[in-house]
Amino acid sequence: MMFAVAAAAVLLTLGLAVTRAIRGPTVFDRVLAGNSVGTLAILLLAVVGFLTGRPEFLDIGITYGLLNLIGTLAVLKFFRHGDLAYDASEPR
Amino acid sequence: MSGLPVIVDAASWLLILLGSFFTVVGGIGLVRMPEFYTRMHAASVTDTLGAGFLVLGLMLQAGFSLVTLKLLFLLALFFFAGPVVTHALAQAALHERIPPLLAEDRRGKAGAGGEPEGS
């Protein structure tokens, strides 16, 4: 079954992304790896949904994708300004 | 899902295999690339080609149904969210002055053939 092959490939890539998240020298490497983990989690949800014959998990995948976007941007903003409630009139 | 024509089934398997391949390639690049910006380049392979081929293959498997529409939304989400996150990451890294690794550093070598860079 090719769904199992795709699930194995996504799981392998998930492991590689977690490796980069642990080893990453800068915080941006970790944010990048975290974003990749989010994308791969969505793909894994879709593939496993097809593998088990229940593709209804896709809704959870779409929600997780939106949360992933917001979360990544929030983490980047926090590390850039040191504060999420950043006022635009402050010096950067 | 067994009533598919053989050619649609074969095309979907091919797309899923291609998606798996590009996903793993992006993961390997994420670990093995030498510095941050090249790693970002490798991660975008997973985001675009890997996810795109995988979702297209799943769409062929699902046929014409609500599941296909959800997969289409997923593809649109990747299409719009990927560049936004990549742009924000690169801008944040440049703001923190993480230097890009250049194969040949021509700064300070005026007349070496490249354009002289200011400051």
Side-chain angles (χ1 to χ4, degrees), chain A residues 2-3 6 9 13 16 20 28-29 32 35-36 39-40 42 50 55 58-59 62 65-66 69 72-73 76 80, chain B residues 13 20 23-24 27-28 30-31 36 39-40 43 47 58 67 70 74 77-78 85 88-89 92 95-96 98:
Chain A
M2 297 290 171
F3 292 136
T13 315
L16 291 172
R20 176 49 68 197
F28 300 107
D29 288 294
L32 178 67
N35 189 49
S36 285
T39 304
L40 291 166
I42 299 167
F50 273 87
L58 282 172
D59 297 328
I62 293 171
L66 292 170
L69 171 67
T72 305
L73 290 181
L76 282 177
R80 178 157 176 173
Chain B
W13 292 145
S20 306
T23 306
V24 174
I28 292 171
L30 195 58
V31 171
F36 172 67
R39 272 174 218 145
M40 216 159 62
D47 272 358
L58 293 181
V67 174
K70 285 175 189 169
L74 207 58
L77 183 68
F78 284 139
V85 169
L89 258 174
H95 185 261
E96 288 291 315
I98 293 175

mmCIF file of all heavy atoms in Angstrom, chain A residues 2-3 6 9 13 16 20 28-29 32 35-36 39-40 42 50 55 58-59 62 65-66 69 72-73 76 80, chain B residues 13 20 23-24 27-28 30-31 36 39-40 43 47 58 67 70 74 77-78 85 88-89 92 95-96 98:
data_model
loop_
_atom_site.group_PDB
_atom_site.id
_atom_site.type_symbol
_atom_site.label_atom_id
_atom_site.label_comp_id
_atom_site.label_asym_id
_atom_site.label_seq_id
_atom_site.Cartn_x
_atom_site.Cartn_y
_atom_site.Cartn_z
ATOM 1 N N MET A 2 0.615 2.144 -0.944
ATOM 2 C CA MET A 2 1.482 3.311 -1.083
ATOM 3 C C MET A 2 1.237 4.345 0.013
ATOM 4 O O MET A 2 2.117 5.145 0.300
ATOM 5 C CB MET A 2 1.247 3.971 -2.436
ATOM 6 C CG MET A 2 1.609 3.089 -3.586
ATOM 7 S SD MET A 2 3.367 2.850 -3.710
ATOM 8 C CE MET A 2 3.433 1.586 -4.962
ATOM 9 N N PHE A 3 0.045 4.312 0.634
ATOM 10 C CA PHE A 3 -0.181 5.241 1.753
ATOM 11 C C PHE A 3 0.791 4.959 2.882
ATOM 12 O O PHE A 3 1.288 5.873 3.538
ATOM 13 C CB PHE A 3 -1.613 5.097 2.267
ATOM 14 C CG PHE A 3 -2.650 5.574 1.301
ATOM 15 C CD1 PHE A 3 -3.788 4.839 1.067
ATOM 16 C CD2 PHE A 3 -2.473 6.767 0.630
ATOM 17 C CE1 PHE A 3 -4.743 5.295 0.183
ATOM 18 C CE2 PHE A 3 -3.419 7.218 -0.270
ATOM 19 C CZ PHE A 3 -4.562 6.475 -0.488
ATOM 20 N N ALA A 6 4.085 6.510 1.993
ATOM 21 C CA ALA A 6 4.056 7.959 2.206
ATOM 22 C C ALA A 6 4.106 8.283 3.698
ATOM 23 O O ALA A 6 4.809 9.211 4.112
ATOM 24 C CB ALA A 6 2.787 8.538 1.572
ATOM 25 N N ALA A 9 7.629 7.852 4.859
ATOM 26 C CA ALA A 9 8.492 8.949 4.415
ATOM 27 C C ALA A 9 8.254 10.190 5.257
ATOM 28 O O ALA A 9 9.208 10.867 5.677
ATOM 29 C CB ALA A 9 8.218 9.248 2.939
ATOM 30 N N THR A 13 10.992 12.071 7.696
ATOM 31 C CA THR A 13 11.285 13.497 7.600
ATOM 32 C C THR A 13 10.993 14.215 8.909
ATOM 33 O O THR A 13 11.699 15.149 9.287
ATOM 34 C CB THR A 13 10.477 14.106 6.461
ATOM 35 O OG1 THR A 13 10.564 13.257 5.337
ATOM 36 C CG2 THR A 13 10.999 15.453 6.089
ATOM 37 N N LEU A 16 13.947 13.795 11.017
ATOM 38 C CA LEU A 16 15.041 14.673 10.595
ATOM 39 C C LEU A 16 14.782 16.115 11.047
ATOM 40 O O LEU A 16 15.708 16.807 11.506
ATOM 41 C CB LEU A 16 15.183 14.621 9.076
ATOM 42 C CG LEU A 16 15.689 13.304 8.504
ATOM 43 C CD1 LEU A 16 15.601 13.306 6.988
ATOM 44 C CD2 LEU A 16 17.111 13.046 8.919
ATOM 45 N N ARG A 20 16.987 18.569 13.591
ATOM 46 C CA ARG A 20 17.433 19.949 13.362
ATOM 47 C C ARG A 20 16.928 20.855 14.478
ATOM 48 O O ARG A 20 17.640 21.771 14.902
ATOM 49 C CB ARG A 20 16.939 20.426 11.999
ATOM 50 C CG ARG A 20 17.243 21.856 11.682
ATOM 51 C CD ARG A 20 18.673 22.230 11.938
ATOM 52 N NE ARG A 20 19.611 21.591 11.041
ATOM 53 C CZ ARG A 20 20.915 21.523 11.284
ATOM 54 N NH1 ARG A 20 21.416 22.066 12.369
ATOM 55 N NH2 ARG A 20 21.718 20.915 10.439
ATOM 56 N N PHE A 28 16.475 30.613 15.083
ATOM 57 C CA PHE A 28 15.729 30.610 13.819
ATOM 58 C C PHE A 28 15.740 29.225 13.188
ATOM 59 O O PHE A 28 14.778 28.823 12.539
ATOM 60 C CB PHE A 28 16.318 31.643 12.866
ATOM 61 C CG PHE A 28 16.273 33.018 13.425
ATOM 62 C CD1 PHE A 28 17.417 33.643 13.859
ATOM 63 C CD2 PHE A 28 15.064 33.665 13.570
ATOM 64 C CE1 PHE A 28 17.360 34.902 14.401
ATOM 65 C CE2 PHE A 28 14.999 34.910 14.115
ATOM 66 C CZ PHE A 28 16.156 35.528 14.529
ATOM 67 N N ASP A 29 16.849 28.478 13.391
ATOM 68 C CA ASP A 29 16.853 27.088 12.933
ATOM 69 C C ASP A 29 15.758 26.301 13.628
ATOM 70 O O ASP A 29 15.089 25.471 13.012
ATOM 71 C CB ASP A 29 18.206 26.450 13.228
ATOM 72 C CG ASP A 29 19.282 26.972 12.322
ATOM 73 O OD1 ASP A 29 19.200 26.704 11.121
ATOM 74 O OD2 ASP A 29 20.194 27.643 12.817
ATOM 75 N N LEU A 32 12.373 27.323 12.244
ATOM 76 C CA LEU A 32 12.203 26.713 10.921
ATOM 77 C C LEU A 32 11.854 25.237 11.043
ATOM 78 O O LEU A 32 10.934 24.748 10.378
ATOM 79 C CB LEU A 32 13.501 26.882 10.132
ATOM 80 C CG LEU A 32 13.538 26.274 8.740
ATOM 81 C CD1 LEU A 32 12.573 26.999 7.834
ATOM 82 C CD2 LEU A 32 14.930 26.340 8.177
ATOM 83 N N ASN A 35 8.306 24.845 12.237
ATOM 84 C CA ASN A 35 7.346 25.060 11.156
ATOM 85 C C ASN A 35 7.291 23.830 10.237
ATOM 86 O O ASN A 35 6.211 23.423 9.801
ATOM 87 C CB ASN A 35 7.766 26.296 10.371
ATOM 88 C CG ASN A 35 6.724 26.715 9.387
ATOM 89 O OD1 ASN A 35 5.561 26.821 9.745
ATOM 90 N ND2 ASN A 35 7.110 26.912 8.164
ATOM 91 N N SER A 36 8.457 23.240 9.968
ATOM 92 C CA SER A 36 8.468 22.029 9.143
ATOM 93 C C SER A 36 7.727 20.893 9.835
ATOM 94 O O SER A 36 7.015 20.118 9.183
ATOM 95 C CB SER A 36 9.908 21.602 8.858
ATOM 96 O OG SER A 36 10.477 22.446 7.904
ATOM 97 N N THR A 39 4.045 21.404 9.233
ATOM 98 C CA THR A 39 3.660 20.986 7.878
ATOM 99 C C THR A 39 3.604 19.469 7.765
ATOM 100 O O THR A 39 2.658 18.898 7.204
ATOM 101 C CB THR A 39 4.677 21.537 6.873
ATOM 102 O OG1 THR A 39 4.759 22.936 7.028
ATOM 103 C CG2 THR A 39 4.255 21.211 5.456
ATOM 104 N N LEU A 40 4.621 18.795 8.330
ATOM 105 C CA LEU A 40 4.671 17.334 8.226
ATOM 106 C C LEU A 40 3.564 16.695 9.049
ATOM 107 O O LEU A 40 3.045 15.639 8.655
ATOM 108 C CB LEU A 40 6.034 16.837 8.697
ATOM 109 C CG LEU A 40 7.154 17.227 7.749
ATOM 110 C CD1 LEU A 40 8.494 17.032 8.399
ATOM 111 C CD2 LEU A 40 7.065 16.416 6.486
ATOM 112 N N ILE A 42 0.575 17.933 9.390
ATOM 113 C CA ILE A 42 -0.619 18.032 8.538
ATOM 114 C C ILE A 42 -0.603 16.928 7.488
ATOM 115 O O ILE A 42 -1.602 16.236 7.262
ATOM 116 C CB ILE A 42 -0.678 19.406 7.873
ATOM 117 C CG1 ILE A 42 -0.765 20.495 8.916
ATOM 118 C CG2 ILE A 42 -1.857 19.491 6.944
ATOM 119 C CD1 ILE A 42 -0.517 21.846 8.345
ATOM 120 N N PHE A 50 -6.267 8.719 5.052
ATOM 121 C CA PHE A 50 -6.536 7.873 3.892
ATOM 122 C C PHE A 50 -6.164 6.421 4.166
ATOM 123 O O PHE A 50 -6.815 5.504 3.671
ATOM 124 C CB PHE A 50 -5.760 8.395 2.680
ATOM 125 C CG PHE A 50 -6.494 9.446 1.918
ATOM 126 C CD1 PHE A 50 -6.387 10.773 2.277
ATOM 127 C CD2 PHE A 50 -7.309 9.110 0.863
ATOM 128 C CE1 PHE A 50 -7.072 11.744 1.591
ATOM 129 C CE2 PHE A 50 -7.995 10.075 0.167
ATOM 130 C CZ PHE A 50 -7.879 11.394 0.532
ATOM 131 N N PRO A 55 -10.933 9.885 5.894
ATOM 132 C CA PRO A 55 -10.286 11.165 5.564
ATOM 133 C C PRO A 55 -10.882 12.360 6.284
ATOM 134 O O PRO A 55 -10.576 13.479 5.907
ATOM 135 C CB PRO A 55 -10.517 11.281 4.045
ATOM 136 C CG PRO A 55 -11.098 9.996 3.616
ATOM 137 C CD PRO A 55 -11.728 9.373 4.790
ATOM 138 N N LEU A 58 -8.945 15.610 7.902
ATOM 139 C CA LEU A 58 -8.418 16.757 7.155
ATOM 140 C C LEU A 58 -8.825 18.086 7.777
ATOM 141 O O LEU A 58 -8.068 19.056 7.704
ATOM 142 C CB LEU A 58 -8.932 16.693 5.716
ATOM 143 C CG LEU A 58 -8.202 15.694 4.834
ATOM 144 C CD1 LEU A 58 -8.899 15.573 3.510
ATOM 145 C CD2 LEU A 58 -6.790 16.177 4.612
ATOM 146 N N ASP A 59 -9.998 18.118 8.412
ATOM 147 C CA ASP A 59 -10.411 19.357 9.087
ATOM 148 C C ASP A 59 -9.415 19.735 10.172
ATOM 149 O O ASP A 59 -9.018 20.897 10.314
ATOM 150 C CB ASP A 59 -11.802 19.168 9.703
ATOM 151 C CG ASP A 59 -12.846 18.894 8.649
ATOM 152 O OD1 ASP A 59 -12.685 19.424 7.536
ATOM 153 O OD2 ASP A 59 -13.781 18.142 8.919
ATOM 154 N N ILE A 62 -6.334 21.213 8.560
ATOM 155 C CA ILE A 62 -6.453 22.620 8.142
ATOM 156 C C ILE A 62 -6.357 23.537 9.355
ATOM 157 O O ILE A 62 -5.642 24.543 9.345
ATOM 158 C CB ILE A 62 -7.785 22.827 7.394
ATOM 159 C CG1 ILE A 62 -7.757 22.061 6.073
ATOM 160 C CG2 ILE A 62 -8.021 24.289 7.128
ATOM 161 C CD1 ILE A 62 -9.074 22.015 5.369
ATOM 162 N N GLY A 65 -2.861 23.790 10.469
ATOM 163 C CA GLY A 65 -2.059 24.625 9.584
ATOM 164 C C GLY A 65 -2.216 26.097 9.911
ATOM 165 O O GLY A 65 -1.231 26.841 9.969
ATOM 166 N N LEU A 66 -3.449 26.532 10.162
ATOM 167 C CA LEU A 66 -3.665 27.935 10.527
ATOM 168 C C LEU A 66 -2.981 28.260 11.845
ATOM 169 O O LEU A 66 -2.314 29.293 11.986
ATOM 170 C CB LEU A 66 -5.169 28.210 10.622
ATOM 171 C CG LEU A 66 -5.910 28.149 9.285
ATOM 172 C CD1 LEU A 66 -7.403 28.179 9.510
ATOM 173 C CD2 LEU A 66 -5.506 29.310 8.423
ATOM 174 N N LEU A 69 0.798 28.663 11.346
ATOM 175 C CA LEU A 69 1.171 29.971 10.794
ATOM 176 C C LEU A 69 1.183 31.031 11.890
ATOM 177 O O LEU A 69 2.179 31.751 12.070
ATOM 178 C CB LEU A 69 0.179 30.335 9.696
ATOM 179 C CG LEU A 69 0.269 31.753 9.143
ATOM 180 C CD1 LEU A 69 1.565 31.932 8.393
ATOM 181 C CD2 LEU A 69 -0.895 32.038 8.240
ATOM 182 N N THR A 72 4.066 30.403 14.476
ATOM 183 C CA THR A 72 5.413 30.736 13.989
ATOM 184 C C THR A 72 5.617 32.240 13.972
ATOM 185 O O THR A 72 6.654 32.748 14.420
ATOM 186 C CB THR A 72 5.606 30.156 12.586
ATOM 187 O OG1 THR A 72 5.343 28.766 12.625
ATOM 188 C CG2 THR A 72 7.019 30.381 12.110
ATOM 189 N N LEU A 73 4.620 32.972 13.467
ATOM 190 C CA LEU A 73 4.752 34.429 13.417
ATOM 191 C C LEU A 73 4.827 35.013 14.823
ATOM 192 O O LEU A 73 5.589 35.958 15.067
ATOM 193 C CB LEU A 73 3.579 35.039 12.653
ATOM 194 C CG LEU A 73 3.592 34.744 11.152
ATOM 195 C CD1 LEU A 73 2.417 35.408 10.482
ATOM 196 C CD2 LEU A 73 4.875 35.196 10.517
ATOM 197 N N LEU A 76 8.347 34.413 16.184
ATOM 198 C CA LEU A 76 9.311 35.314 15.545
ATOM 199 C C LEU A 76 9.165 36.733 16.083
ATOM 200 O O LEU A 76 10.161 37.406 16.352
ATOM 201 C CB LEU A 76 9.092 35.314 14.035
ATOM 202 C CG LEU A 76 9.656 34.116 13.298
ATOM 203 C CD1 LEU A 76 9.313 34.207 11.835
ATOM 204 C CD2 LEU A 76 11.143 34.044 13.472
ATOM 205 N N ARG A 80 11.921 38.961 18.110
ATOM 206 C CA ARG A 80 12.415 40.196 17.512
ATOM 207 C C ARG A 80 12.225 41.384 18.450
ATOM 208 O O ARG A 80 13.103 42.216 18.587
ATOM 209 C CB ARG A 80 11.695 40.449 16.198
ATOM 210 C CG ARG A 80 12.107 41.739 15.546
ATOM 211 C CD ARG A 80 11.843 41.701 14.075
ATOM 212 N NE ARG A 80 12.151 42.969 13.469
ATOM 213 C CZ ARG A 80 12.127 43.167 12.168
ATOM 214 N NH1 ARG A 80 11.828 42.174 11.374
ATOM 215 N NH2 ARG A 80 12.418 44.323 11.663
ATOM 216 N N TRP B 13 -0.612 6.976 -7.555
ATOM 217 C CA TRP B 13 0.534 6.342 -6.885
ATOM 218 C C TRP B 13 1.829 7.044 -7.247
ATOM 219 O O TRP B 13 2.691 7.285 -6.393
ATOM 220 C CB TRP B 13 0.650 4.872 -7.254
ATOM 221 C CG TRP B 13 -0.428 3.962 -6.748
ATOM 222 C CD1 TRP B 13 -0.942 2.888 -7.397
ATOM 223 C CD2 TRP B 13 -1.107 4.030 -5.487
ATOM 224 N NE1 TRP B 13 -1.906 2.312 -6.628
ATOM 225 C CE2 TRP B 13 -2.027 2.973 -5.454
ATOM 226 C CE3 TRP B 13 -1.040 4.892 -4.403
ATOM 227 C CZ2 TRP B 13 -2.865 2.756 -4.385
ATOM 228 C CZ3 TRP B 13 -1.872 4.676 -3.327
ATOM 229 C CH2 TRP B 13 -2.771 3.624 -3.324
ATOM 230 N N SER B 20 6.517 11.696 -1.558
ATOM 231 C CA SER B 20 7.324 11.103 -0.487
ATOM 232 C C SER B 20 8.801 11.371 -0.715
ATOM 233 O O SER B 20 9.535 11.744 0.203
ATOM 234 C CB SER B 20 7.087 9.598 -0.432
ATOM 235 O OG SER B 20 5.730 9.317 -0.326
ATOM 236 N N THR B 23 9.620 14.996 -0.019
ATOM 237 C CA THR B 23 9.534 15.250 1.420
ATOM 238 C C THR B 23 10.810 14.809 2.120
ATOM 239 O O THR B 23 11.390 15.551 2.921
ATOM 240 C CB THR B 23 8.317 14.512 2.001
ATOM 241 O OG1 THR B 23 7.167 14.887 1.271
ATOM 242 C CG2 THR B 23 8.106 14.858 3.445
ATOM 243 N N VAL B 24 11.274 13.586 1.792
ATOM 244 C CA VAL B 24 12.486 13.085 2.438
ATOM 245 C C VAL B 24 13.699 13.907 2.010
ATOM 246 O O VAL B 24 14.590 14.194 2.833
ATOM 247 C CB VAL B 24 12.675 11.590 2.105
ATOM 248 C CG1 VAL B 24 13.995 11.091 2.629
ATOM 249 C CG2 VAL B 24 11.553 10.789 2.713
ATOM 250 N N GLY B 27 13.818 16.924 4.098
ATOM 251 C CA GLY B 27 14.264 16.617 5.461
ATOM 252 C C GLY B 27 15.761 16.412 5.541
ATOM 253 O O GLY B 27 16.421 16.896 6.463
ATOM 254 N N ILE B 28 16.317 15.706 4.549
ATOM 255 C CA ILE B 28 17.768 15.481 4.539
ATOM 256 C C ILE B 28 18.500 16.812 4.402
ATOM 257 O O ILE B 28 19.492 17.074 5.092
ATOM 258 C CB ILE B 28 18.139 14.515 3.399
ATOM 259 C CG1 ILE B 28 17.602 13.124 3.700
ATOM 260 C CG2 ILE B 28 19.646 14.448 3.224
ATOM 261 C CD1 ILE B 28 17.746 12.169 2.542
ATOM 262 N N LEU B 30 17.404 19.681 5.358
ATOM 263 C CA LEU B 30 17.232 20.418 6.610
ATOM 264 C C LEU B 30 18.311 20.032 7.622
ATOM 265 O O LEU B 30 18.760 20.858 8.411
ATOM 266 C CB LEU B 30 15.845 20.124 7.174
ATOM 267 C CG LEU B 30 15.284 21.015 8.261
ATOM 268 C CD1 LEU B 30 15.220 22.433 7.770
ATOM 269 C CD2 LEU B 30 13.924 20.551 8.660
ATOM 270 N N VAL B 31 18.759 18.771 7.601
ATOM 271 C CA VAL B 31 19.789 18.348 8.546
ATOM 272 C C VAL B 31 21.183 18.655 8.007
ATOM 273 O O VAL B 31 22.057 19.097 8.738
ATOM 274 C CB VAL B 31 19.636 16.849 8.856
ATOM 275 C CG1 VAL B 31 20.809 16.341 9.654
ATOM 276 C CG2 VAL B 31 18.362 16.622 9.624
ATOM 277 N N PHE B 36 21.927 28.623 8.017
ATOM 278 C CA PHE B 36 20.480 28.806 8.186
ATOM 279 C C PHE B 36 19.742 29.030 6.879
ATOM 280 O O PHE B 36 18.704 28.420 6.630
ATOM 281 C CB PHE B 36 20.242 29.974 9.141
ATOM 282 C CG PHE B 36 18.813 30.368 9.222
ATOM 283 C CD1 PHE B 36 17.888 29.509 9.784
ATOM 284 C CD2 PHE B 36 18.376 31.569 8.697
ATOM 285 C CE1 PHE B 36 16.559 29.849 9.837
ATOM 286 C CE2 PHE B 36 17.049 31.917 8.754
ATOM 287 C CZ PHE B 36 16.152 31.053 9.320
ATOM 288 N N ARG B 39 19.348 26.046 4.810
ATOM 289 C CA ARG B 39 18.380 25.140 5.444
ATOM 290 C C ARG B 39 16.960 25.580 5.147
ATOM 291 O O ARG B 39 16.065 24.749 4.941
ATOM 292 C CB ARG B 39 18.607 25.144 6.952
ATOM 293 C CG ARG B 39 19.623 24.130 7.377
ATOM 294 C CD ARG B 39 19.908 24.297 8.846
ATOM 295 N NE ARG B 39 21.301 24.073 9.079
ATOM 296 C CZ ARG B 39 22.026 24.716 9.974
ATOM 297 N NH1 ARG B 39 21.471 25.620 10.732
ATOM 298 N NH2 ARG B 39 23.291 24.428 10.112
ATOM 299 N N MET B 40 16.741 26.904 5.106
ATOM 300 C CA MET B 40 15.421 27.410 4.772
ATOM 301 C C MET B 40 15.041 26.992 3.355
ATOM 302 O O MET B 40 13.898 26.610 3.083
ATOM 303 C CB MET B 40 15.448 28.932 4.882
ATOM 304 C CG MET B 40 14.202 29.523 5.398
ATOM 305 S SD MET B 40 14.489 31.143 6.062
ATOM 306 C CE MET B 40 15.063 31.997 4.643
ATOM 307 N N ALA B 43 13.992 23.384 3.464
ATOM 308 C CA ALA B 43 12.673 23.176 4.071
ATOM 309 C C ALA B 43 11.557 23.560 3.110
ATOM 310 O O ALA B 43 10.473 22.988 3.144
ATOM 311 C CB ALA B 43 12.557 23.989 5.355
ATOM 312 N N ASP B 47 7.880 21.947 1.769
ATOM 313 C CA ASP B 47 6.629 22.699 1.820
ATOM 314 C C ASP B 47 5.935 22.772 0.469
ATOM 315 O O ASP B 47 4.712 22.818 0.414
ATOM 316 C CB ASP B 47 6.900 24.120 2.327
ATOM 317 C CG ASP B 47 6.841 24.179 3.829
ATOM 318 O OD1 ASP B 47 6.554 23.144 4.429
ATOM 319 O OD2 ASP B 47 7.088 25.253 4.383
ATOM 320 N N LEU B 58 -3.341 12.414 -3.240
ATOM 321 C CA LEU B 58 -4.495 12.091 -2.400
ATOM 322 C C LEU B 58 -5.792 12.581 -3.026
ATOM 323 O O LEU B 58 -6.837 11.932 -2.906
ATOM 324 C CB LEU B 58 -4.311 12.709 -1.008
ATOM 325 C CG LEU B 58 -3.181 12.138 -0.150
ATOM 326 C CD1 LEU B 58 -3.146 12.837 1.194
ATOM 327 C CD2 LEU B 58 -3.337 10.659 0.044
ATOM 328 N N VAL B 67 -13.912 15.628 0.273
ATOM 329 C CA VAL B 67 -12.532 15.435 0.708
ATOM 330 C C VAL B 67 -11.576 16.157 -0.234
ATOM 331 O O VAL B 67 -10.599 16.787 0.192
ATOM 332 C CB VAL B 67 -12.227 13.926 0.775
ATOM 333 C CG1 VAL B 67 -10.767 13.694 1.091
ATOM 334 C CG2 VAL B 67 -13.094 13.275 1.813
ATOM 335 N N LYS B 70 -11.496 19.760 0.615
ATOM 336 C CA LYS B 70 -10.680 20.027 1.804
ATOM 337 C C LYS B 70 -9.198 19.970 1.456
ATOM 338 O O LYS B 70 -8.401 20.784 1.934
ATOM 339 C CB LYS B 70 -11.001 19.005 2.886
ATOM 340 C CG LYS B 70 -12.331 19.243 3.564
ATOM 341 C CD LYS B 70 -12.625 18.134 4.531
ATOM 342 C CE LYS B 70 -14.042 18.228 5.048
ATOM 343 N NZ LYS B 70 -14.426 17.021 5.782
ATOM 344 N N LEU B 74 -6.313 22.807 1.790
ATOM 345 C CA LEU B 74 -5.004 22.545 2.393
ATOM 346 C C LEU B 74 -3.881 23.035 1.473
ATOM 347 O O LEU B 74 -2.920 23.671 1.916
ATOM 348 C CB LEU B 74 -4.870 21.039 2.630
ATOM 349 C CG LEU B 74 -3.967 20.574 3.749
ATOM 350 C CD1 LEU B 74 -4.419 21.149 5.049
ATOM 351 C CD2 LEU B 74 -3.973 19.074 3.802
ATOM 352 N N LEU B 77 -3.702 26.697 1.587
ATOM 353 C CA LEU B 77 -3.069 27.129 2.838
ATOM 354 C C LEU B 77 -1.544 27.052 2.723
ATOM 355 O O LEU B 77 -0.832 27.994 3.081
ATOM 356 C CB LEU B 77 -3.563 26.242 3.972
ATOM 357 C CG LEU B 77 -3.056 26.603 5.361
ATOM 358 C CD1 LEU B 77 -3.644 27.913 5.801
ATOM 359 C CD2 LEU B 77 -3.409 25.534 6.351
ATOM 360 N N PHE B 78 -1.037 25.937 2.189
ATOM 361 C CA PHE B 78 0.410 25.813 1.989
ATOM 362 C C PHE B 78 0.903 26.891 1.034
ATOM 363 O O PHE B 78 1.960 27.488 1.239
ATOM 364 C CB PHE B 78 0.751 24.447 1.416
ATOM 365 C CG PHE B 78 0.693 23.332 2.416
ATOM 366 C CD1 PHE B 78 0.152 22.113 2.087
ATOM 367 C CD2 PHE B 78 1.193 23.503 3.686
ATOM 368 C CE1 PHE B 78 0.100 21.093 2.998
ATOM 369 C CE2 PHE B 78 1.141 22.489 4.608
ATOM 370 C CZ PHE B 78 0.590 21.285 4.258
ATOM 371 N N VAL B 85 5.682 32.717 5.985
ATOM 372 C CA VAL B 85 6.568 32.283 7.068
ATOM 373 C C VAL B 85 8.027 32.388 6.637
ATOM 374 O O VAL B 85 8.890 32.829 7.410
ATOM 375 C CB VAL B 85 6.198 30.851 7.486
ATOM 376 C CG1 VAL B 85 7.254 30.282 8.404
ATOM 377 C CG2 VAL B 85 4.868 30.840 8.172
ATOM 378 N N ALA B 88 9.087 36.038 6.759
ATOM 379 C CA ALA B 88 9.241 36.521 8.133
ATOM 380 C C ALA B 88 10.513 35.957 8.766
ATOM 381 O O ALA B 88 11.250 36.669 9.449
ATOM 382 C CB ALA B 88 8.013 36.137 8.959
ATOM 383 N N LEU B 89 10.786 34.661 8.493
ATOM 384 C CA LEU B 89 11.987 34.036 9.066
ATOM 385 C C LEU B 89 13.252 34.693 8.528
ATOM 386 O O LEU B 89 14.158 35.040 9.296
ATOM 387 C CB LEU B 89 11.998 32.560 8.693
ATOM 388 C CG LEU B 89 11.566 31.569 9.743
ATOM 389 C CD1 LEU B 89 11.501 30.192 9.138
ATOM 390 C CD2 LEU B 89 12.555 31.577 10.874
ATOM 391 N N ALA B 92 13.645 38.185 9.969
ATOM 392 C CA ALA B 92 14.043 38.165 11.374
ATOM 393 C C ALA B 92 15.514 37.773 11.514
ATOM 394 O O ALA B 92 16.249 38.355 12.305
ATOM 395 C CB ALA B 92 13.157 37.192 12.148
ATOM 396 N N HIS B 95 17.646 40.621 10.462
ATOM 397 C CA HIS B 95 17.592 41.662 11.476
ATOM 398 C C HIS B 95 18.501 41.337 12.645
ATOM 399 O O HIS B 95 19.081 42.231 13.267
ATOM 400 C CB HIS B 95 16.142 41.810 11.956
ATOM 401 C CG HIS B 95 15.934 42.936 12.909
ATOM 402 N ND1 HIS B 95 15.879 42.753 14.262
ATOM 403 C CD2 HIS B 95 15.790 44.266 12.705
ATOM 404 C CE1 HIS B 95 15.705 43.924 14.839
ATOM 405 N NE2 HIS B 95 15.636 44.851 13.918
ATOM 406 N N GLU B 96 18.651 40.047 12.953
ATOM 407 C CA GLU B 96 19.579 39.630 14.011
ATOM 408 C C GLU B 96 21.017 39.556 13.498
ATOM 409 O O GLU B 96 21.902 39.096 14.203
ATOM 410 C CB GLU B 96 19.174 38.256 14.540
ATOM 411 C CG GLU B 96 17.915 38.269 15.366
ATOM 412 C CD GLU B 96 18.105 38.981 16.684
ATOM 413 O OE1 GLU B 96 19.126 38.735 17.347
ATOM 414 O OE2 GLU B 96 17.233 39.805 17.022
ATOM 415 N N ILE B 98 22.468 37.570 11.249
ATOM 416 C CA ILE B 98 23.066 36.258 10.988
ATOM 417 C C ILE B 98 23.597 36.300 9.566
ATOM 418 O O ILE B 98 22.823 36.509 8.631
ATOM 419 C CB ILE B 98 22.024 35.144 11.161
ATOM 420 C CG1 ILE B 98 21.625 35.056 12.620
ATOM 421 C CG2 ILE B 98 22.570 33.826 10.678
ATOM 422 C CD1 ILE B 98 20.529 34.087 12.884
#
